[in-house]
Amino acid sequence: MTDVMTRTHPFASDRPLTLAVARALSTMRDEASASDLLFLERWEISPIPGTAAALRVGQLRRANPTLAAEIRAELASRRR
């Protein structure tokens, strides 16, 4: 299995960096929802400071608890 991070440019904000988000986006046609999932993924990779970002991530995690857990697990496995 090829790692998604090796196939995408790390600064391309419109492409997923995790398999979890890539799978979720494969069934999604709504641009705003896709943007939300990409934001969540990037925040899990490198949290940014600020109340607005924290509130947005909190909402996204509550709306997508399984996906958020999959993203964190995938990123944790890569760090090992």
Side-chain angles (χ1 to χ4, degrees):
M1 180 165 77
T2 303
D3 187 326
V4 172
M5 286 185 107
T6 63
R7 294 184 300 159
T8 61
H9 189 281
F11 300 107
S13 63
D14 63 336
R15 296 194 180 153
L17 299 175
T18 62
L19 293 173
V21 173
R23 279 192 304 272
L25 292 176
S26 70
T27 62
M28 191 171 289
R29 299 293 174 242
D30 176 28
E31 221 176 287
S33 296
S35 176
D36 284 342
L37 297 186
L38 291 168
F39 180 84
L40 173 62
E41 178 189 61
R42 296 313 196 276
W43 197 91
E44 293 291 352
I45 292 169
S46 180
I48 57 175
T51 304
L55 290 172
R56 184 176 179 195
V57 166
Q59 289 175 327
L60 293 169
R61 283 177 172 168
R62 282 190 299 280
N64 304 283
T66 302
L67 178 61
E70 289 174 359
I71 294 168
R72 287 191 299 274
E74 186 175 337
L75 294 172
S77 72
R78 291 179 184 181
R79 291 180 184 123
R80 290 184 215 144

